[in-house]
Structures are given as structure tokens and as C-alpha cells.
Amino acid sequence: MEVVNQRGMEFPGKDFALVLLLSGLFAAYLLFKPEMPLAMTLVDNLTQGLLEGVGLLLTLPLWLPGDGRKGLPAGSLPPGTAGTSPVQRWVPLLLSLGILSYIIGQGIWTYNENILHLPMLFPSLADIGFLGSYPFVLLAILFLPHRPLPIQTRLRVFLDGLLIMVGVVTFSWYFVLGPTILHGADTAAGQIIGTAYPLAALVLIFCLLLLAARSHDREMQPMVLLLSLALIIIVITNSVYDYLELHNMYATGGLLDVGWPLGYMLIGLGARAMQEYLASRRLSTAPAPAPVPSLEKGEIIGRPVLLRGALIPLLFVSAVFLLLVWTKYAGANTGLEAQVSLGVTILLGLMVVRQVLVIQETINRNRLLYKTQEDLQARNEALHQAYEELEEQARIEVAFEEQRRLNEMKDQFVLNVSHELRTPLTQVYGYLELLETYHNTLTSDKQVEYIRKATRGCEALMPLIDTILDAARTGSHTIYPQVQELLVADLVHEVLEQFEPLQRQDHPVSRRRVPRRPSKITFEPLQRQDHPVSLEITEGLVVQADRQFLCQVLRNLLQNAFKYTPLHTTVRVVATRYDPFTQHPDSVSQVCICVQDTGPGIPPEDIPLLFGKFVRLKRDLAGPIRGTGLGLYISKQLVEAMGGSIWVESSGIAGQGSRFYFTLPTPASDHAR
């Protein structure tokens, strides 16, 4: 399975596993040494060449996917990536030439050791092939794509690399370069080539520093990781080889021989990753992204300095300083002590310059951060102001919509009231006009009948006018109820008698005062002309309320119940003690009165608007049932003025009706009992 980088570039997991497998088999062979020494060296040299040839094959553009990248369709690059330049296309070729040069050197080494059986293998023409691979690798790394960095960051990176270089040169001079020059080969060529190997290791270290400077590009990280790992392995292998060769301890057939083919196979994997990187951009049709503007002209915000990156130069300085202490006080080679002291002096000077640049870079970053913070603060203030403007606009829109809805309801109210007033007015006007026109010809009985019908029209007008006046009074003035103790049963009977005549089915209503302390619930069926009424009122139930207000609330609720309940269907009036004192000790004991009908019910979505001014259900606007839309509004204002609350429960299903509840406080004496 291929491991995919978060920016889209793939890490060649299968190929990397194959390289490790081949290197492991080669290491096992060298560890067990199944052949004779002469055959062992031949197999060792040939295997090294073959494995390095595998690395060369990996650099060739063979077996690449059709779109240049596995799992990525052609023309779909990740955002923020750019195309390639002609110079960058030379990177895989340069890496392949570096591997090829090392293979040539390996071939010459094998020919000299196993065919010619030369007693001296160093120096030889093979060293030219070995050393010739390093310039190609250096050029390839120099041509890798990179992003621009601020000048101060570039100087800091350069000084970090220079510190590491000086530290490595100091160590290499003391342990490898100095002894090689002082006690190296007899010939000048031997001394030059012997010195060239440690210097080549320094070149590879410089390549590692260049790769570290480019590692911030996440898309290049798989390739940078492979090349870095390869160069680290080659540097370690060369360093061990130089030390063994200096002390005449190196011999073909050891585990050290695994390092070179492993390193160059990893270079081949890096070149293959670069091939896919280039192929994906040649096939891409995505336009280049627009440049991101900087805070100021010429200013570029670089990567933040990581702790490990800042400590690496300090570790090299500390290591060289410890080397100097060891050379002075441990009886080390005094012939190389001066060079170590010079290296320490150079490192200290570079360290001072580096710290000055780090401080300046920190100051610049703080300045840019301060500017960014000011810009963010200004943007936040602008966003806050815009948000407040949007909130104000939203409030205006809500108020406008509410006003528009209220105007529509007022218009509908005017239409309803006009219709409600026109019918009785027409009746009154019509009969009075008949009396005025035909009073000489009408009999006395007919005149009394017309006067009675005109009087009924006037009686029909009075509730409408009272409702309008009550709505105006409750909406514009504070209501002050005249509170007194009232028997609920008496008030309910009094209100019911204001409607059409009632007929008792069992016994007449008793008008005597019943005890205040409630004992049981009395079920009392009453028969109206159109609707039976069922009273379920606790005996002696007393409330503290305004008599006129309570009668008006009951009258409004009963009128609605009679209006919406089908003919000859029962309307229930229930009154019981509602005592929240058991759950909330600070609450006042109350009486709950419920008026229940069996009409069409109220849709749940209309219940929150039901107690508003001028509110009528949509189904009633075009239906035969008329109304002003003020009865429930007035009832709510009156109940709340008396210290109670009102609500409705309805499922909206026809036949189940609605239940209107309202509560009123009981006298203090009842609450104490």
C-alpha cells in the first residue's frame, strides 16, 4: 500500500520495502560468509554493483503511471503547487549519472581486486568513479525546487550550515584529514585522493543542509526524506571506511559494504519520486495560483524557527569545544591542537554573528506579528460593526414584518367588525324603517314584534362595541382589578344564564352560600337549547378576583366553545384546586378553571399566536364563523391583571376539541389552611 503525503505526493512504500529486503539479504550473506575468501570478495563486489544497478534502474522513467502520479488524476494538482522549470528536470538525470559514476568505480574496483589481483587497490582509477558521483549529487540537490525565504532567514540558514561545516571539518581534520596528510600514502596522488574522501563526505553534509533548507515544502518531503536518508548512510559509511583505511583495517567482505548500495538505491528512489513529481506537473492543466500579498512590499514571513533546528549548531559548537579540552588535558596529538583551537575560534565568531541575526530576525517577526495583530484587531472591529449593523437591520426587518402583519390583522379586523356590525345595524334600521313607513297600517302586535326585533339587533351590537372598547382599554391603560372573594360555582351559573335559557336535568341550582372549604366535586348537567353543559366544580371553591373581569373571561371562553362545538355536543366547565405549593413552597395556591369543547381543535403551529391582538385562524377567515379576534386577547390581559395565567391545549384533530385553562389565586386564608 502506498503511503500518501497530506499534500498529495506519494511515498514509494513498496519500492522502499524492496530496497530494505535486498539490503537485508545482502547483509545476511556477508554475516554468514558461506564461500571461500576469494569467492566471497568476488560475490561481494558483484552484489554491490548489481544493487547499485537497481538504484540506477529506479532513476529511469520506467513503469511510471499514465498520469505521472498514482491515485491522482491528470490535471488535478493540490492547491498551492506550481509548475516545473527546465533546470529542475535535470535532477533525475544528475542523480542517475551520480549512481552510474559510482557503478563504474565499483566495476574498476572489482576488476582490480578479483581479476588482476592487484596488491594495492588505493589509489586507483576506481577512486575517480567513486569521487565523481558526489558532484552530480550536489548539482541535483542545487536544482531542486524551493520556495523563497526572507534574507535574514537565508543568512541564518547559511550560518547554521557554516557552523556545522566548520565543526565537521574540525573533527575530520583531527581524526581523518590531518592524519591522512601527515601519515598518508607515499605518493602525492595517494595523499590527494585520501584527502578527497573526507572532503567528499563534507560535500554530502553540505547537501544534507540544502535538503534541510528545502524540507519546509510539504509536497517535497517524501523525496527529501529519501535523499536525506541516503546521504546520511553514505556519509557514515565513508567516514567508517576512511578511518579503517587510515589504520589499514578495511577488507572487502564486511558488513560495511552494505552501506554504499543501500545509500545509492535510496538515491534511486528519490530520483523516481522526482520523476513522478515532474510528470504530474507536465500533465497538469491547473492554472498557477495567484500570489499571496505580503504585509509590506518586499517582506516575506518565513517559517518559525524550531527548537531542534536552533540547537543543532549549538551541539556542534559544544562538541568541538569538548574536543579542544580533550586535546589539551588528555595528552592527545599536540601536532593537531592548533588546528582544533582555530576551529573553535571560528565557531565562536560565527556563533556571535548567528545570534545577532537570530535576535534581529526575532525582532522583525515580532514587528510583523504586531502589525498582523493590529490588522486583525481592525478587521475584528469592522466585523463587529458590520455585525451590529446586520443585527440592527434584522431588528428593523422584524419590526417591519411585525408591523406589516399587524396592519394586515387590523385590516382583517376592520372587515370582520364591519361585517359583524352591518348585520345587526341592518336589522335595526330595517325594522325601524318599516315602523316609520307603515306605522298607520300595522297592527299593534306587529309593531311590538318589529320593536322587539330591532331591540335584539341593538342587543347584538352591544357586545361588539364592548369588546372593541375593552380591547382599547386593556391595550392602552393599566388595568386595576377590584379584587374580592368569589364563589366559582355562582359566577359560572351567572354567566351561563346570560346565554340562551338553561334547563336543569335533575334539580334547580341552589343559591345558598356553600362552605368555603371544598369537600367534593359536583357533577351538574345543564341543558341549553343547542349545547348541553357539564359542570364539574368543587364545592365551595373560592377565588380572589374582580367580579366583572372574571365574568367577562368566562363569557368569552364559553362563547367560543358554543361557537365551535357542533350542535347537541357537550361543553365541559371544570374548576378544581390547583396547588403548586407542594412542588414550590413559595408559590401561591390557585384555582384552575377549564372550558373544554369538542370542536375542530387548534393547529399546533397557531397556538403561540392565539392570544395576540386581532388574531384569527386562517380556516375561520373564509368560513361562516365570524369574530373580531379580540376575545382571547382581552381574556389574557384580564387574567394576568388578576394575578393568574391562561393557556390552551389542543391536538388540532377534529372532534377532540380544545381545552382553555386559566388560573386565579385563592384567598390568603385558604392558602394558610
Side-chain angles (χ1 to χ4, degrees):
M1 180 180 294
E2 301 292 335
V3 181
V4 182
N5 183 268
Q6 64 179 353
R7 286 285 300 275
M9 191 173 189
E10 295 177 354
F11 184 87
K14 294 181 180 179
D15 297 336
F16 183 74
L18 177 62
V19 169
L20 294 181
L21 177 62
L22 294 177
S23 301
L25 293 176
F26 184 37
Y29 173 78
L30 295 177
L31 185 63
F32 292 105
K33 295 182 174 59
E35 281 91 7
M36 297 298 293
L38 293 178
M40 179 71 183
T41 58
L42 177 61
V43 173
D44 182 1
N45 290 327
L46 291 177
T47 304
Q48 289 188 57
L50 290 175
L51 294 180
E52 291 155 3
V54 172
L56 180 62
L57 289 177
L58 291 174
T59 62
L60 302 178
L62 303 175
W63 309 294
L64 286 175
D67 59 354
R69 176 181 293 187
K70 297 178 183 178
L72 183 66
S76 60
L77 289 178
T81 58
T84 60
S85 64
V87 177
Q88 296 169 3
R89 298 171 188 173
W90 285 85
V91 173
L93 177 60
L94 291 173
L95 293 177
S96 63
L97 290 177
I99 299 175
L100 179 61
S101 177
Y102 199 89
I103 291 175
I104 292 174
Q106 182 65 38
I108 297 174
W109 176 280
T110 304
Y111 179 76
N112 291 336
E113 184 176 17
N114 299 109
I115 304 299
L116 299 181
H117 301 287
L118 295 179
M120 292 294 297
L121 298 176
F122 177 81
S124 66
L125 293 177
D127 298 314
I128 299 176
F130 292 148
L131 295 173
S133 63
Y134 302 129
F136 291 113
V137 175
L138 176 61
L139 288 175
I141 293 175
L142 290 175
F143 290 161
L144 284 177
H146 61 279
R147 293 180 180 179
L149 294 175
I151 297 177
Q152 292 177 346
T153 304
R154 293 180 186 178
L155 291 176
R156 179 181 55 79
V157 172
F158 175 75
L159 285 176
D160 289 346
L162 196 57
L163 283 169
I164 297 174
M165 288 288 294
V166 173
V168 173
V169 168
T170 303
F171 271 92
S172 180
W173 177 266
Y174 187 82
F175 291 103
V176 180
L177 285 177
T180 300
I181 295 175
L182 296 177
H183 308 287
D186 296 334
T187 62
Q191 292 183 353
I192 294 174
I193 295 176
T195 307
Y197 276 103
L199 291 177
L202 297 179
V203 172
L204 292 181
I205 293 174
F206 180 70
C207 296
L208 283 174
L209 296 175
L210 292 178
L211 288 175
R214 287 166 167 78
S215 63
H216 68 283
D217 191 347
R218 292 183 179 272
E219 193 177 357
M220 300 290 295
Q221 280 185 356
M223 181 174 56
V224 171
L225 177 63
L226 289 171
L227 293 179
S228 300
L229 184 60
L231 295 180
I232 290 173
I233 293 174
I234 293 174
V235 167
I236 295 175
T237 306
N238 283 343
S239 300
V240 176
Y241 168 77
D242 290 339
Y243 181 82
L244 296 177
E245 186 68 27
L246 180 64
H247 296 84
N248 296 322
M249 297 170 56
Y250 175 75
T252 304
L255 287 176
L256 184 65
D257 295 341
V258 181
W260 289 295
L262 175 59
Y264 282 98
M265 281 192 292
L266 291 177
I267 289 178
L269 280 181
R272 182 172 183 81
M274 188 64 186
Q275 288 279 5
E276 296 182 1
Y277 176 85
L278 297 173
S280 65
R281 273 141 186 79
R282 284 195 297 269
L283 294 176
S284 175
T285 58
V292 179
S294 59
L295 294 177
E296 290 184 3
K297 184 177 181 181
E299 289 183 338
I300 301 175
I301 302 178
R303 260 194 327 168
V305 182
L306 299 178
L307 180 61
R308 61 176 182 270
L311 290 179
I312 290 177
L314 298 178
L315 293 177
F316 274 89
V317 173
S318 302
V320 174
F321 184 77
L322 293 176
L323 177 63
L324 178 62
V325 174
W326 184 72
T327 58
K328 286 184 176 294
Y329 300 103
N333 190 347
T334 57
L336 300 175
E337 181 181 340
Q339 289 79 7
V340 175
S341 300
L342 179 61
V344 171
T345 304
I346 295 174
L347 283 176
L348 291 177
L350 292 175
M351 197 66 193
V352 171
V353 177
R354 177 187 180 275
Q355 290 304 113
V356 172
L357 287 177
V358 168
I359 293 173
Q360 185 63 35
E361 185 179 3
T362 304
I363 293 174
N364 291 339
R365 286 182 180 274
N366 289 336
R367 178 174 56 85
L368 293 178
L369 182 62
Y370 179 73
K371 290 183 179 179
T372 304
Q373 186 177 2
E374 287 184 341
D375 182 64
L376 289 177
Q377 186 176 0
R379 291 175 182 268
N380 287 336
E381 291 178 356
L383 288 175
H384 182 68
Q385 184 177 0
Y387 179 73
E388 289 182 348
E389 293 178 356
L390 288 176
E391 282 190 337
E392 183 65 24
Q393 183 178 358
R395 286 194 294 267
I396 294 175
E397 291 178 355
V398 170
F400 175 78
E401 182 65 23
E402 183 67 19
Q403 185 64 31
R404 185 187 63 81
R405 187 180 66 86
L406 189 59
N407 290 334
E408 291 180 354
M409 295 172 64
K410 286 182 178 180
D411 294 339
Q412 186 64 39
F413 167 73
V414 171
L415 293 176
N416 294 335
V417 170
S418 300
H419 184 274
E420 295 292 332
L421 293 176
R422 183 180 294 112
T423 301
L425 281 175
T426 302
Q427 180 180 359
V428 172
Y429 180 79
Y431 286 111
L432 292 179
E433 187 179 13
L434 288 175
L435 287 173
E436 181 183 6
T437 305
Y438 303 103
H439 67 281
N440 294 325
T441 59
L442 293 175
T443 64
S444 59
D445 294 337
K446 208 64 171 175
Q447 291 180 2
V448 171
E449 180 184 356
Y450 286 172
I451 292 173
R452 185 184 303 111
K453 290 183 178 180
T455 303
R456 289 181 181 177
C458 293
E459 292 175 352
L461 283 175
M462 291 302 296
L464 293 176
I465 297 174
D466 290 340
T467 300
I468 297 172
L469 293 177
D470 291 338
R473 183 174 62 253
T474 56
S476 59
H477 301 286
T478 304
I479 305 174
Y480 299 101
Q482 302 296 325
V483 178
Q484 56 182 316
E485 296 181 8
L486 303 172
L487 279 171
V488 176
D490 289 352
L491 262 295
V492 172
H493 283 89
E494 181 179 339
V495 172
L496 286 173
E497 289 176 355
Q498 296 176 8
F499 292 91
E500 296 178 358
L502 297 170
Q503 297 178 0
R504 194 173 327 283
Q505 292 183 347
D506 53 355
H507 57 276
V509 179
S510 176
R511 286 298 180 181
R512 63 182 176 85
R513 299 282 294 182
V514 296
R516 282 195 174 187
R517 185 173 182 178
S519 58
K520 60 180 180 179
I521 298 178
T522 301
F523 296 90
E524 188 175 4
L526 302 178
Q527 182 66 39
R528 300 179 70 248
Q529 291 183 356
D530 297 330
H531 302 92
V533 179
S534 174
L535 301 182
E536 302 173 16
I537 302 175
T538 304
E539 292 183 0
L541 199 59
V542 181
V543 295
Q544 194 170 9
D546 185 294
R547 184 184 187 87
Q548 182 180 357
F549 289 179
L550 180 55
C551 290
Q552 186 170 357
V553 172
L554 289 172
R555 186 166 49 249
N556 290 340
L557 296 181
L558 287 170
Q559 186 175 6
N560 287 339
F562 295 148
K563 186 188 303 182
Y564 289 99
T565 301
L567 294 176
H568 310 296
T569 306
T570 303
V571 173
R572 295 179 62 212
V573 179
V574 182
T576 58
R577 174 67 62 86
Y578 177 74
D579 194 357
F581 184 76
T582 56
Q583 298 179 354
H584 303 283
D586 296 335
S587 300
V588 177
S589 180
Q590 295 178 331
V591 170
C592 181
I593 302 174
C594 173
V595 177
Q596 180 179 357
D597 61 70
T598 55
I602 301 171
E605 63 272 11
D606 292 335
I607 289 178
L609 305 175
L610 197 61
F611 292 95
K613 188 183 293 187
F614 310 127
V615 173
R616 298 203 66 212
L617 302 182
K618 295 180 180 179
R619 69 182 182 203
D620 297 335
L621 296 178
I625 300 177
R626 312 306 300 175
T628 60
L630 293 174
L632 293 178
Y633 168 76
I634 295 173
S635 300
K636 182 176 184 297
Q637 302 299 318
L638 297 179
V639 169
E640 292 179 352
M642 292 184 291
S645 59
I646 187 170
W647 70 94
V648 62
E649 294 179 0
S650 178
S651 62
I653 300 176
Q656 295 186 1
S658 306
R659 294 175 300 278
F660 285 86
Y661 297 89
F662 68 95
T663 61
L664 292 174
T666 59
S669 57
D670 284 2
H671 174 62
R673 287 197 300 271

